[in-house]
Structure formats: structure tokens, C-alpha cells
Amino acid sequence: MSFTIAIDGPAAAGKGTISRAVAEHFGFAHLDTGLLYRATGRRTLGGTDPVEAARTLAAADLEADDLRSPEVAQAASRVAALPDVRQALLDFQRAFAARGGGAVLDGRDIGTVICPEAEVKLFVTASDEVRARRRHKELVEKGHDITYDEVMADLRARDARDSARATAPLKPAEDATQLDTSEMTIATAIETAIGIVQARLALVS
Ligand code: CDP
Ligand code: CDP
């Protein structure tokens, strides 16, 4: 069975947390597509050409320690605006979705470009302040020396660049269900997403 769940939204909205939990609940595979762009961006910081970096991405690149740093996040957002970089990463993502057994992919363009036929599309949001607070807490807990204002600046700069680019911009698919997690605990956000997927699964099975 091929059953694809597309989870998109702005930076630090809770996409990864929800995707991991939904994948675990239903026994589906999960791909954090942001990691592909982060790993590509990270390689450009070392001087590699962005398109070359995307074309030759290896499994080990996805395990680098500093992929979550704001510096790498900015580099990811810059390379993500290049159509040839997105093209180089396309087949891998589509193959992941199509491999059978159910897949959850989270990113910016899953419901619009990568998997426009996905059975479930969620667009996860939260206010800027809530997203910056959550990501700041997460980064500080991981040992990063960063202020709330710096985190806010990173999120806003990426959201602006990701929304404004011509190729696969950040935007909800027309048939996506919006999930604003500003006032939700993690448990409530996960339960809500699982409920939406369950309802769709009941229709197709
Ligand atoms: O994947 P994305 O960047 O959209 O967000 P995430 O990494 O899943 O979530 C960002 C941070 O917010 C993490 O530290 C989550 O634990 C936290 N979070 C939260 O506090 N409440 C939610 N409803 C969802 C996520
Ligand atoms: O976790 P967070 O939401 O902060 O970022 P991410 O999902 O790891 O994505 C990092 C950057 O990669 C984003 O700011 C986008 O520029 C880019 N990205 C993209 O363009 N398309 C995707 N499907 C996933 C990420």
C-alpha cells in the first residue's frame, strides 16, 4: 500500500515532532526533508558548489553534528532557493514516498510539489513568538549559545526567503488542512494529527 502524509509549514512550527509521532503511531517511514537542504547548505559552507553538493549528498552528510545550527539553517535556506538544487533532491524524496508501507515527509513543498497526490496534507503553523520560544529553548538545551532575538531573526529571515522564492515556495497546498499549534501542547498537536490521518485511512481501507 502506498499512503503518503505531507507535512509542511514554516520554521519550527512542530512539523518534525508531529511527523515522527505520526510515523511511529502508524508504523510508517519518516523523512525530514529539511535535513537534505541543511546537509547541502552545510557542504557549501566548506566551499562546495551547491548543485554539486546536492547531487553528491551521502548518508553520512545527514548525520553531521551541527546540522541544527542557525548558521547551517541559513545556508540551507539559501541553497533551497536554487531550482537545480531542488531538482537534484527531487527523485530521492519521491522514491521515498512511493516505496510502499506508508510514508510521512515533512518540509516546505511536500504537499505542493513533491507529493501533490498525498493522501493527507497538513500545514502546521504557530505564531512567530511561539516558534521562536520553542526553538530557542531547544537550541539552548542542546548547548547552543544563542539569544531569543537571534532565533527570531533566523526564523523570520528563512520564512521570508522560503516564501518569496519562485521555485517551490513555502505555502499551503490548496487541499491542505491547517493546524495552528500555538496554543497546543505537543500531545494535543500529535493527537489532532493522528485523528486526521485515521479518518483518511478509514476512507481508503
Ligand atoms: O520540524 P519543525 O522545525 O517544524 O519543528 P520541531 O523541531 O518539531 O519543533 C520545534 C520545537 O518546538 C521542538 O523543541 C518541539 O519539542 C517544540 N514543540 C512544542 O513545544 N509544541 C508543539 N506543539 C510542537 C513542537
Ligand atoms: O526545522 P526547521 O523548520 O527550522 O527547518 P528545516 O525543515 O530543517 O528546513 C531548513 C531549510 O531548508 C528551510 O528554511 C528551507 O529553506 C529548506 N527546505 C525547503 O526549501 N524545502 C523543504 N522541503 C525542506 C526544507
PDB file of all heavy atoms in Angstrom, residues 8-13 15 32-35 37-38 68 72-73 76-78 80-81 86 93 106-110 114 135 154-155 158-159 161-162 165 168, ligand 2:
ATOM      1  N   ASP A   8       3.832  20.169   5.901  1.00  0.00           N
ATOM      2  CA  ASP A   8       4.603  21.367   5.566  1.00  0.00           C
ATOM      3  C   ASP A   8       4.323  22.471   6.582  1.00  0.00           C
ATOM      4  O   ASP A   8       3.364  22.400   7.355  1.00  0.00           O
ATOM      5  CB  ASP A   8       4.224  21.861   4.160  1.00  0.00           C
ATOM      6  CG  ASP A   8       4.652  20.892   3.075  1.00  0.00           C
ATOM      7  OD1 ASP A   8       5.851  20.576   3.014  1.00  0.00           O
ATOM      8  OD2 ASP A   8       3.779  20.447   2.296  1.00  0.00           O
ATOM      9  N   GLY A   9       5.141  23.518   6.503  1.00  0.00           N
ATOM     10  CA  GLY A   9       4.914  24.675   7.360  1.00  0.00           C
ATOM     11  C   GLY A   9       6.196  25.457   7.565  1.00  0.00           C
ATOM     12  O   GLY A   9       7.269  25.018   7.153  1.00  0.00           O
ATOM     13  N   PRO A  10       6.089  26.624   8.205  1.00  0.00           N
ATOM     14  CA  PRO A  10       7.270  27.462   8.433  1.00  0.00           C
ATOM     15  C   PRO A  10       8.211  26.849   9.464  1.00  0.00           C
ATOM     16  O   PRO A  10       7.901  25.821  10.061  1.00  0.00           O
ATOM     17  CB  PRO A  10       6.665  28.782   8.936  1.00  0.00           C
ATOM     18  CG  PRO A  10       5.364  28.385   9.540  1.00  0.00           C
ATOM     19  CD  PRO A  10       4.861  27.223   8.745  1.00  0.00           C
ATOM     20  N   ALA A  11       9.345  27.520   9.674  1.00  0.00           N
ATOM     21  CA  ALA A  11      10.395  27.019  10.558  1.00  0.00           C
ATOM     22  C   ALA A  11       9.892  26.833  11.991  1.00  0.00           C
ATOM     23  O   ALA A  11       9.187  27.693  12.528  1.00  0.00           O
ATOM     24  CB  ALA A  11      11.569  27.989  10.540  1.00  0.00           C
ATOM     25  N   ALA A  12      10.256  25.720  12.584  1.00  0.00           N
ATOM     26  CA  ALA A  12       9.999  25.424  13.996  1.00  0.00           C
ATOM     27  C   ALA A  12       8.517  25.434  14.380  1.00  0.00           C
ATOM     28  O   ALA A  12       8.157  25.732  15.514  1.00  0.00           O
ATOM     29  CB  ALA A  12      10.786  26.375  14.904  1.00  0.00           C
ATOM     30  N   ALA A  13       7.649  25.081  13.433  1.00  0.00           N
ATOM     31  CA  ALA A  13       6.209  25.059  13.715  1.00  0.00           C
ATOM     32  C   ALA A  13       5.798  23.777  14.458  1.00  0.00           C
ATOM     33  O   ALA A  13       4.702  23.706  15.015  1.00  0.00           O
ATOM     34  CB  ALA A  13       5.420  25.170  12.416  1.00  0.00           C
ATOM     35  N   LYS A  15       6.610  20.595  12.830  1.00  0.00           N
ATOM     36  CA  LYS A  15       6.455  19.588  11.760  1.00  0.00           C
ATOM     37  C   LYS A  15       7.158  18.268  12.100  1.00  0.00           C
ATOM     38  O   LYS A  15       6.580  17.205  11.959  1.00  0.00           O
ATOM     39  CB  LYS A  15       7.056  20.103  10.427  1.00  0.00           C
ATOM     40  CG  LYS A  15       6.526  21.422   9.953  1.00  0.00           C
ATOM     41  CD  LYS A  15       7.209  21.871   8.666  1.00  0.00           C
ATOM     42  CE  LYS A  15       8.692  22.114   8.802  1.00  0.00           C
ATOM     43  NZ  LYS A  15       9.052  23.248   9.690  1.00  0.00           N
ATOM     44  N   ASP A  32      12.596  13.608   7.088  1.00  0.00           N
ATOM     45  CA  ASP A  32      12.709  15.042   7.375  1.00  0.00           C
ATOM     46  C   ASP A  32      13.461  15.647   6.193  1.00  0.00           C
ATOM     47  O   ASP A  32      14.689  15.594   6.132  1.00  0.00           O
ATOM     48  CB  ASP A  32      13.479  15.199   8.695  1.00  0.00           C
ATOM     49  CG  ASP A  32      13.872  16.634   8.997  1.00  0.00           C
ATOM     50  OD1 ASP A  32      13.588  17.532   8.177  1.00  0.00           O
ATOM     51  OD2 ASP A  32      14.484  16.867  10.054  1.00  0.00           O
ATOM     52  N   THR A  33      12.715  16.226   5.241  1.00  0.00           N
ATOM     53  CA  THR A  33      13.374  16.709   4.013  1.00  0.00           C
ATOM     54  C   THR A  33      14.245  17.942   4.283  1.00  0.00           C
ATOM     55  O   THR A  33      15.140  18.238   3.502  1.00  0.00           O
ATOM     56  CB  THR A  33      12.361  17.022   2.895  1.00  0.00           C
ATOM     57  OG1 THR A  33      11.559  18.152   3.279  1.00  0.00           O
ATOM     58  CG2 THR A  33      11.475  15.821   2.596  1.00  0.00           C
ATOM     59  N   GLY A  34      13.985  18.646   5.386  1.00  0.00           N
ATOM     60  CA  GLY A  34      14.828  19.784   5.747  1.00  0.00           C
ATOM     61  C   GLY A  34      16.286  19.367   5.918  1.00  0.00           C
ATOM     62  O   GLY A  34      17.201  20.146   5.630  1.00  0.00           O
ATOM     63  N   LEU A  35      16.471  18.130   6.367  1.00  0.00           N
ATOM     64  CA  LEU A  35      17.838  17.623   6.559  1.00  0.00           C
ATOM     65  C   LEU A  35      18.615  17.598   5.246  1.00  0.00           C
ATOM     66  O   LEU A  35      19.828  17.814   5.237  1.00  0.00           O
ATOM     67  CB  LEU A  35      17.794  16.191   7.111  1.00  0.00           C
ATOM     68  CG  LEU A  35      17.737  15.989   8.616  1.00  0.00           C
ATOM     69  CD1 LEU A  35      17.876  14.492   8.915  1.00  0.00           C
ATOM     70  CD2 LEU A  35      18.850  16.768   9.310  1.00  0.00           C
ATOM     71  N   TYR A  37      18.318  19.695   2.749  1.00  0.00           N
ATOM     72  CA  TYR A  37      18.739  21.066   2.456  1.00  0.00           C
ATOM     73  C   TYR A  37      19.791  21.542   3.453  1.00  0.00           C
ATOM     74  O   TYR A  37      20.729  22.264   3.094  1.00  0.00           O
ATOM     75  CB  TYR A  37      17.522  21.999   2.419  1.00  0.00           C
ATOM     76  CG  TYR A  37      16.620  21.666   1.261  1.00  0.00           C
ATOM     77  CD1 TYR A  37      15.563  20.777   1.410  1.00  0.00           C
ATOM     78  CD2 TYR A  37      16.877  22.183  -0.006  1.00  0.00           C
ATOM     79  CE1 TYR A  37      14.764  20.419   0.339  1.00  0.00           C
ATOM     80  CE2 TYR A  37      16.081  21.832  -1.085  1.00  0.00           C
ATOM     81  CZ  TYR A  37      15.027  20.950  -0.900  1.00  0.00           C
ATOM     82  OH  TYR A  37      14.250  20.593  -1.974  1.00  0.00           O
ATOM     83  N   ARG A  38      19.641  21.140   4.719  1.00  0.00           N
ATOM     84  CA  ARG A  38      20.647  21.510   5.729  1.00  0.00           C
ATOM     85  C   ARG A  38      21.995  20.880   5.387  1.00  0.00           C
ATOM     86  O   ARG A  38      23.035  21.537   5.465  1.00  0.00           O
ATOM     87  CB  ARG A  38      20.182  21.075   7.122  1.00  0.00           C
ATOM     88  CG  ARG A  38      19.086  21.975   7.689  1.00  0.00           C
ATOM     89  CD  ARG A  38      18.581  21.457   9.035  1.00  0.00           C
ATOM     90  NE  ARG A  38      17.500  22.281   9.549  1.00  0.00           N
ATOM     91  CZ  ARG A  38      17.640  23.232  10.480  1.00  0.00           C
ATOM     92  NH1 ARG A  38      18.814  23.449  11.018  1.00  0.00           N
ATOM     93  NH2 ARG A  38      16.599  23.944  10.877  1.00  0.00           N
ATOM     94  N   ARG A  68      21.748  21.263  12.954  1.00  0.00           N
ATOM     95  CA  ARG A  68      20.665  22.047  13.563  1.00  0.00           C
ATOM     96  C   ARG A  68      21.072  23.486  13.876  1.00  0.00           C
ATOM     97  O   ARG A  68      20.240  24.252  14.370  1.00  0.00           O
ATOM     98  CB  ARG A  68      20.179  21.355  14.846  1.00  0.00           C
ATOM     99  CG  ARG A  68      19.512  20.020  14.604  1.00  0.00           C
ATOM    100  CD  ARG A  68      18.096  20.205  14.070  1.00  0.00           C
ATOM    101  NE  ARG A  68      17.602  19.025  13.396  1.00  0.00           N
ATOM    102  CZ  ARG A  68      16.688  19.039  12.439  1.00  0.00           C
ATOM    103  NH1 ARG A  68      16.174  20.170  12.013  1.00  0.00           N
ATOM    104  NH2 ARG A  68      16.288  17.936  11.875  1.00  0.00           N
ATOM    105  N   VAL A  72      23.849  26.845   9.719  1.00  0.00           N
ATOM    106  CA  VAL A  72      23.544  25.832   8.693  1.00  0.00           C
ATOM    107  C   VAL A  72      22.116  26.027   8.178  1.00  0.00           C
ATOM    108  O   VAL A  72      21.851  25.872   6.986  1.00  0.00           O
ATOM    109  CB  VAL A  72      23.760  24.404   9.244  1.00  0.00           C
ATOM    110  CG1 VAL A  72      23.219  23.358   8.288  1.00  0.00           C
ATOM    111  CG2 VAL A  72      25.246  24.163   9.505  1.00  0.00           C
ATOM    112  N   ALA A  73      21.194  26.413   9.076  1.00  0.00           N
ATOM    113  CA  ALA A  73      19.807  26.654   8.650  1.00  0.00           C
ATOM    114  C   ALA A  73      19.747  27.758   7.590  1.00  0.00           C
ATOM    115  O   ALA A  73      19.031  27.644   6.586  1.00  0.00           O
ATOM    116  CB  ALA A  73      18.950  27.023   9.863  1.00  0.00           C
ATOM    117  N   ALA A  76      21.043  26.449   4.384  1.00  0.00           N
ATOM    118  CA  ALA A  76      20.025  25.576   3.795  1.00  0.00           C
ATOM    119  C   ALA A  76      19.003  26.407   3.024  1.00  0.00           C
ATOM    120  O   ALA A  76      18.648  26.102   1.882  1.00  0.00           O
ATOM    121  CB  ALA A  76      19.323  24.780   4.899  1.00  0.00           C
ATOM    122  N   SER A  77      18.553  27.485   3.652  1.00  0.00           N
ATOM    123  CA  SER A  77      17.527  28.316   3.038  1.00  0.00           C
ATOM    124  C   SER A  77      18.051  29.007   1.772  1.00  0.00           C
ATOM    125  O   SER A  77      17.315  29.195   0.800  1.00  0.00           O
ATOM    126  CB  SER A  77      17.033  29.310   4.092  1.00  0.00           C
ATOM    127  OG  SER A  77      16.339  30.348   3.531  1.00  0.00           O
ATOM    128  N   ARG A  78      19.332  29.343   1.766  1.00  0.00           N
ATOM    129  CA  ARG A  78      19.915  29.967   0.556  1.00  0.00           C
ATOM    130  C   ARG A  78      20.004  28.952  -0.592  1.00  0.00           C
ATOM    131  O   ARG A  78      19.595  29.246  -1.716  1.00  0.00           O
ATOM    132  CB  ARG A  78      21.299  30.560   0.867  1.00  0.00           C
ATOM    133  CG  ARG A  78      21.240  31.864   1.663  1.00  0.00           C
ATOM    134  CD  ARG A  78      22.578  32.588   1.663  1.00  0.00           C
ATOM    135  NE  ARG A  78      23.614  31.826   2.337  1.00  0.00           N
ATOM    136  CZ  ARG A  78      23.911  31.902   3.637  1.00  0.00           C
ATOM    137  NH1 ARG A  78      23.229  32.743   4.413  1.00  0.00           N
ATOM    138  NH2 ARG A  78      24.857  31.178   4.160  1.00  0.00           N
ATOM    139  N   ALA A  80      18.267  26.323  -0.920  1.00  0.00           N
ATOM    140  CA  ALA A  80      16.918  25.844  -1.230  1.00  0.00           C
ATOM    141  C   ALA A  80      16.209  26.724  -2.258  1.00  0.00           C
ATOM    142  O   ALA A  80      15.205  26.328  -2.847  1.00  0.00           O
ATOM    143  CB  ALA A  80      16.088  25.759   0.044  1.00  0.00           C
ATOM    144  N   ALA A  81      16.730  27.935  -2.469  1.00  0.00           N
ATOM    145  CA  ALA A  81      16.123  28.829  -3.460  1.00  0.00           C
ATOM    146  C   ALA A  81      16.605  28.528  -4.874  1.00  0.00           C
ATOM    147  O   ALA A  81      16.084  29.095  -5.844  1.00  0.00           O
ATOM    148  CB  ALA A  81      16.436  30.283  -3.097  1.00  0.00           C
ATOM    149  N   ARG A  86      17.009  21.964  -5.894  1.00  0.00           N
ATOM    150  CA  ARG A  86      15.733  21.298  -5.600  1.00  0.00           C
ATOM    151  C   ARG A  86      15.527  20.113  -6.542  1.00  0.00           C
ATOM    152  O   ARG A  86      15.064  19.051  -6.142  1.00  0.00           O
ATOM    153  CB  ARG A  86      14.555  22.289  -5.703  1.00  0.00           C
ATOM    154  CG  ARG A  86      14.724  23.543  -4.866  1.00  0.00           C
ATOM    155  CD  ARG A  86      13.404  24.247  -4.617  1.00  0.00           C
ATOM    156  NE  ARG A  86      12.564  23.484  -3.708  1.00  0.00           N
ATOM    157  CZ  ARG A  86      12.651  23.551  -2.386  1.00  0.00           C
ATOM    158  NH1 ARG A  86      13.507  24.351  -1.792  1.00  0.00           N
ATOM    159  NH2 ARG A  86      11.861  22.803  -1.636  1.00  0.00           N
ATOM    160  N   GLN A  93      13.304  12.086  -2.810  1.00  0.00           N
ATOM    161  CA  GLN A  93      12.115  12.313  -1.971  1.00  0.00           C
ATOM    162  C   GLN A  93      10.899  11.574  -2.537  1.00  0.00           C
ATOM    163  O   GLN A  93      10.132  10.958  -1.795  1.00  0.00           O
ATOM    164  CB  GLN A  93      11.819  13.814  -1.875  1.00  0.00           C
ATOM    165  CG  GLN A  93      12.926  14.591  -1.182  1.00  0.00           C
ATOM    166  CD  GLN A  93      12.671  16.099  -1.230  1.00  0.00           C
ATOM    167  OE1 GLN A  93      11.875  16.628  -0.468  1.00  0.00           O
ATOM    168  NE2 GLN A  93      13.336  16.798  -2.134  1.00  0.00           N
ATOM    169  N   ASP A 106       8.179  15.577   5.820  1.00  0.00           N
ATOM    170  CA  ASP A 106       7.912  16.941   6.260  1.00  0.00           C
ATOM    171  C   ASP A 106       8.906  17.917   5.646  1.00  0.00           C
ATOM    172  O   ASP A 106      10.056  17.575   5.385  1.00  0.00           O
ATOM    173  CB  ASP A 106       7.857  17.056   7.789  1.00  0.00           C
ATOM    174  CG  ASP A 106       9.196  16.973   8.487  1.00  0.00           C
ATOM    175  OD1 ASP A 106       9.805  15.903   8.481  1.00  0.00           O
ATOM    176  OD2 ASP A 106       9.622  17.998   9.060  1.00  0.00           O
ATOM    177  N   GLY A 107       8.403  19.136   5.339  1.00  0.00           N
ATOM    178  CA  GLY A 107       9.260  20.127   4.678  1.00  0.00           C
ATOM    179  C   GLY A 107       8.513  21.407   4.381  1.00  0.00           C
ATOM    180  O   GLY A 107       7.807  21.959   5.239  1.00  0.00           O
ATOM    181  N   ARG A 108       8.681  21.897   3.151  1.00  0.00           N
ATOM    182  CA  ARG A 108       8.030  23.144   2.750  1.00  0.00           C
ATOM    183  C   ARG A 108       7.120  22.944   1.531  1.00  0.00           C
ATOM    184  O   ARG A 108       6.141  23.666   1.354  1.00  0.00           O
ATOM    185  CB  ARG A 108       9.076  24.216   2.379  1.00  0.00           C
ATOM    186  CG  ARG A 108      10.050  24.582   3.499  1.00  0.00           C
ATOM    187  CD  ARG A 108       9.354  25.311   4.622  1.00  0.00           C
ATOM    188  NE  ARG A 108      10.269  25.768   5.684  1.00  0.00           N
ATOM    189  CZ  ARG A 108      10.879  24.973   6.553  1.00  0.00           C
ATOM    190  NH1 ARG A 108      10.676  23.670   6.517  1.00  0.00           N
ATOM    191  NH2 ARG A 108      11.665  25.481   7.487  1.00  0.00           N
ATOM    192  N   ASP A 109       7.509  21.981   0.671  1.00  0.00           N
ATOM    193  CA  ASP A 109       6.853  21.815  -0.634  1.00  0.00           C
ATOM    194  C   ASP A 109       6.374  20.387  -0.856  1.00  0.00           C
ATOM    195  O   ASP A 109       6.218  19.954  -1.981  1.00  0.00           O
ATOM    196  CB  ASP A 109       7.840  22.173  -1.757  1.00  0.00           C
ATOM    197  CG  ASP A 109       9.057  21.241  -1.762  1.00  0.00           C
ATOM    198  OD1 ASP A 109       9.355  20.641  -0.700  1.00  0.00           O
ATOM    199  OD2 ASP A 109       9.691  21.101  -2.823  1.00  0.00           O
ATOM    200  N   ILE A 110       6.147  19.647   0.231  1.00  0.00           N
ATOM    201  CA  ILE A 110       5.776  18.237   0.061  1.00  0.00           C
ATOM    202  C   ILE A 110       4.375  18.144  -0.554  1.00  0.00           C
ATOM    203  O   ILE A 110       4.154  17.433  -1.538  1.00  0.00           O
ATOM    204  CB  ILE A 110       5.840  17.459   1.402  1.00  0.00           C
ATOM    205  CG1 ILE A 110       7.194  17.683   2.091  1.00  0.00           C
ATOM    206  CG2 ILE A 110       5.580  15.974   1.163  1.00  0.00           C
ATOM    207  CD1 ILE A 110       8.407  17.308   1.276  1.00  0.00           C
ATOM    208  N   ILE A 114       6.398  17.917  -4.193  1.00  0.00           N
ATOM    209  CA  ILE A 114       6.986  16.572  -4.104  1.00  0.00           C
ATOM    210  C   ILE A 114       5.896  15.505  -4.203  1.00  0.00           C
ATOM    211  O   ILE A 114       6.008  14.570  -4.997  1.00  0.00           O
ATOM    212  CB  ILE A 114       7.795  16.398  -2.786  1.00  0.00           C
ATOM    213  CG1 ILE A 114       8.857  17.488  -2.650  1.00  0.00           C
ATOM    214  CG2 ILE A 114       8.421  15.000  -2.706  1.00  0.00           C
ATOM    215  CD1 ILE A 114       9.979  17.430  -3.657  1.00  0.00           C
ATOM    216  N   ARG A 135      11.989  27.033  19.633  1.00  0.00           N
ATOM    217  CA  ARG A 135      13.282  26.696  19.010  1.00  0.00           C
ATOM    218  C   ARG A 135      14.439  27.190  19.877  1.00  0.00           C
ATOM    219  O   ARG A 135      15.464  26.509  19.998  1.00  0.00           O
ATOM    220  CB  ARG A 135      13.336  27.287  17.592  1.00  0.00           C
ATOM    221  CG  ARG A 135      14.618  27.041  16.796  1.00  0.00           C
ATOM    222  CD  ARG A 135      15.061  25.581  16.690  1.00  0.00           C
ATOM    223  NE  ARG A 135      14.130  24.618  16.182  1.00  0.00           N
ATOM    224  CZ  ARG A 135      13.869  24.381  14.885  1.00  0.00           C
ATOM    225  NH1 ARG A 135      14.480  25.056  13.956  1.00  0.00           N
ATOM    226  NH2 ARG A 135      13.012  23.438  14.535  1.00  0.00           N
ATOM    227  N   ASP A 154      16.581  34.429  12.719  1.00  0.00           N
ATOM    228  CA  ASP A 154      16.817  33.282  11.823  1.00  0.00           C
ATOM    229  C   ASP A 154      15.499  32.792  11.229  1.00  0.00           C
ATOM    230  O   ASP A 154      15.371  32.628  10.010  1.00  0.00           O
ATOM    231  CB  ASP A 154      17.514  32.140  12.583  1.00  0.00           C
ATOM    232  CG  ASP A 154      17.482  30.819  11.808  1.00  0.00           C
ATOM    233  OD1 ASP A 154      17.866  30.815  10.622  1.00  0.00           O
ATOM    234  OD2 ASP A 154      17.063  29.790  12.374  1.00  0.00           O
ATOM    235  N   LEU A 155      14.488  32.595  12.083  1.00  0.00           N
ATOM    236  CA  LEU A 155      13.204  32.065  11.599  1.00  0.00           C
ATOM    237  C   LEU A 155      12.559  33.025  10.600  1.00  0.00           C
ATOM    238  O   LEU A 155      12.094  32.603   9.535  1.00  0.00           O
ATOM    239  CB  LEU A 155      12.229  31.820  12.758  1.00  0.00           C
ATOM    240  CG  LEU A 155      12.649  30.872  13.892  1.00  0.00           C
ATOM    241  CD1 LEU A 155      11.477  30.621  14.834  1.00  0.00           C
ATOM    242  CD2 LEU A 155      13.167  29.554  13.363  1.00  0.00           C
ATOM    243  N   ARG A 158      14.457  33.154   7.236  1.00  0.00           N
ATOM    244  CA  ARG A 158      14.208  31.948   6.417  1.00  0.00           C
ATOM    245  C   ARG A 158      12.784  31.906   5.890  1.00  0.00           C
ATOM    246  O   ARG A 158      12.551  31.576   4.722  1.00  0.00           O
ATOM    247  CB  ARG A 158      14.516  30.690   7.238  1.00  0.00           C
ATOM    248  CG  ARG A 158      16.003  30.433   7.334  1.00  0.00           C
ATOM    249  CD  ARG A 158      16.286  29.038   7.804  1.00  0.00           C
ATOM    250  NE  ARG A 158      15.982  28.818   9.202  1.00  0.00           N
ATOM    251  CZ  ARG A 158      15.316  27.787   9.691  1.00  0.00           C
ATOM    252  NH1 ARG A 158      14.854  26.853   8.895  1.00  0.00           N
ATOM    253  NH2 ARG A 158      15.115  27.652  10.979  1.00  0.00           N
ATOM    254  N   ASP A 159      11.813  32.213   6.744  1.00  0.00           N
ATOM    255  CA  ASP A 159      10.416  32.180   6.279  1.00  0.00           C
ATOM    256  C   ASP A 159      10.210  33.150   5.120  1.00  0.00           C
ATOM    257  O   ASP A 159       9.515  32.841   4.152  1.00  0.00           O
ATOM    258  CB  ASP A 159       9.451  32.528   7.415  1.00  0.00           C
ATOM    259  CG  ASP A 159       9.343  31.426   8.452  1.00  0.00           C
ATOM    260  OD1 ASP A 159       9.843  30.312   8.190  1.00  0.00           O
ATOM    261  OD2 ASP A 159       8.774  31.689   9.526  1.00  0.00           O
ATOM    262  N   ARG A 161      12.528  34.279   2.960  1.00  0.00           N
ATOM    263  CA  ARG A 161      13.215  33.778   1.763  1.00  0.00           C
ATOM    264  C   ARG A 161      12.479  32.564   1.192  1.00  0.00           C
ATOM    265  O   ARG A 161      12.276  32.444  -0.016  1.00  0.00           O
ATOM    266  CB  ARG A 161      14.660  33.413   2.120  1.00  0.00           C
ATOM    267  CG  ARG A 161      15.575  33.329   0.923  1.00  0.00           C
ATOM    268  CD  ARG A 161      16.961  32.805   1.296  1.00  0.00           C
ATOM    269  NE  ARG A 161      17.791  33.741   2.024  1.00  0.00           N
ATOM    270  CZ  ARG A 161      18.264  33.531   3.268  1.00  0.00           C
ATOM    271  NH1 ARG A 161      17.978  32.426   3.914  1.00  0.00           N
ATOM    272  NH2 ARG A 161      19.027  34.420   3.857  1.00  0.00           N
ATOM    273  N   ASP A 162      12.034  31.670   2.088  1.00  0.00           N
ATOM    274  CA  ASP A 162      11.358  30.445   1.637  1.00  0.00           C
ATOM    275  C   ASP A 162      10.007  30.767   0.974  1.00  0.00           C
ATOM    276  O   ASP A 162       9.580  30.068   0.051  1.00  0.00           O
ATOM    277  CB  ASP A 162      11.134  29.481   2.818  1.00  0.00           C
ATOM    278  CG  ASP A 162      12.446  28.938   3.394  1.00  0.00           C
ATOM    279  OD1 ASP A 162      13.500  29.089   2.748  1.00  0.00           O
ATOM    280  OD2 ASP A 162      12.411  28.363   4.506  1.00  0.00           O
ATOM    281  N   ARG A 165      10.655  32.777  -2.751  1.00  0.00           N
ATOM    282  CA  ARG A 165      11.368  32.184  -3.893  1.00  0.00           C
ATOM    283  C   ARG A 165      10.380  31.735  -4.967  1.00  0.00           C
ATOM    284  O   ARG A 165       9.220  31.386  -4.669  1.00  0.00           O
ATOM    285  CB  ARG A 165      12.246  31.012  -3.431  1.00  0.00           C
ATOM    286  CG  ARG A 165      11.471  29.792  -2.997  1.00  0.00           C
ATOM    287  CD  ARG A 165      12.394  28.699  -2.444  1.00  0.00           C
ATOM    288  NE  ARG A 165      11.608  27.601  -1.928  1.00  0.00           N
ATOM    289  CZ  ARG A 165      11.852  26.953  -0.800  1.00  0.00           C
ATOM    290  NH1 ARG A 165      12.891  27.273  -0.052  1.00  0.00           N
ATOM    291  NH2 ARG A 165      11.059  25.969  -0.411  1.00  0.00           N
ATOM    292  N   ALA A 168       8.993  26.280  -5.885  1.00  0.00           N
ATOM    293  CA  ALA A 168       8.501  25.560  -4.702  1.00  0.00           C
ATOM    294  C   ALA A 168       8.512  26.417  -3.439  1.00  0.00           C
ATOM    295  O   ALA A 168       9.111  26.052  -2.428  1.00  0.00           O
ATOM    296  CB  ALA A 168       9.342  24.291  -4.492  1.00  0.00           C
TER     297      ALA A 168
HETATM  298  O1  CDP B   2      13.298  22.657  11.298  1.00  0.00           O
HETATM  299  P1  CDP B   2      13.095  23.965  10.548  1.00  0.00           P
HETATM  300  O2  CDP B   2      11.661  24.155  10.209  1.00  0.00           O
HETATM  301  O3  CDP B   2      13.716  25.141  11.236  1.00  0.00           O
HETATM  302  O4  CDP B   2      13.918  23.853   9.168  1.00  0.00           O
HETATM  303  P2  CDP B   2      14.053  22.604   8.185  1.00  0.00           P
HETATM  304  O5  CDP B   2      12.736  21.970   7.945  1.00  0.00           O
HETATM  305  O6  CDP B   2      15.167  21.730   8.627  1.00  0.00           O
HETATM  306  O7  CDP B   2      14.470  23.332   6.811  1.00  0.00           O
HETATM  307  C1  CDP B   2      15.656  24.120   6.699  1.00  0.00           C
HETATM  308  C2  CDP B   2      15.521  24.933   5.438  1.00  0.00           C
HETATM  309  O8  CDP B   2      15.510  24.032   4.317  1.00  0.00           O
HETATM  310  C3  CDP B   2      14.230  25.727   5.290  1.00  0.00           C
HETATM  311  O9  CDP B   2      14.313  27.029   5.861  1.00  0.00           O
HETATM  312  C4  CDP B   2      14.030  25.773   3.776  1.00  0.00           C
HETATM  313  O10 CDP B   2      14.768  26.831   3.187  1.00  0.00           O
HETATM  314  C5  CDP B   2      14.636  24.480   3.293  1.00  0.00           C
HETATM  315  N1  CDP B   2      13.636  23.450   2.960  1.00  0.00           N
HETATM  316  C6  CDP B   2      12.995  23.552   1.732  1.00  0.00           C
HETATM  317  O11 CDP B   2      13.197  24.512   0.993  1.00  0.00           O
HETATM  318  N2  CDP B   2      12.140  22.577   1.323  1.00  0.00           N
HETATM  319  C7  CDP B   2      11.892  21.518   2.107  1.00  0.00           C
HETATM  320  N3  CDP B   2      11.049  20.562   1.664  1.00  0.00           N
HETATM  321  C8  CDP B   2      12.501  21.416   3.366  1.00  0.00           C
HETATM  322  C9  CDP B   2      13.366  22.423   3.788  1.00  0.00           C
END
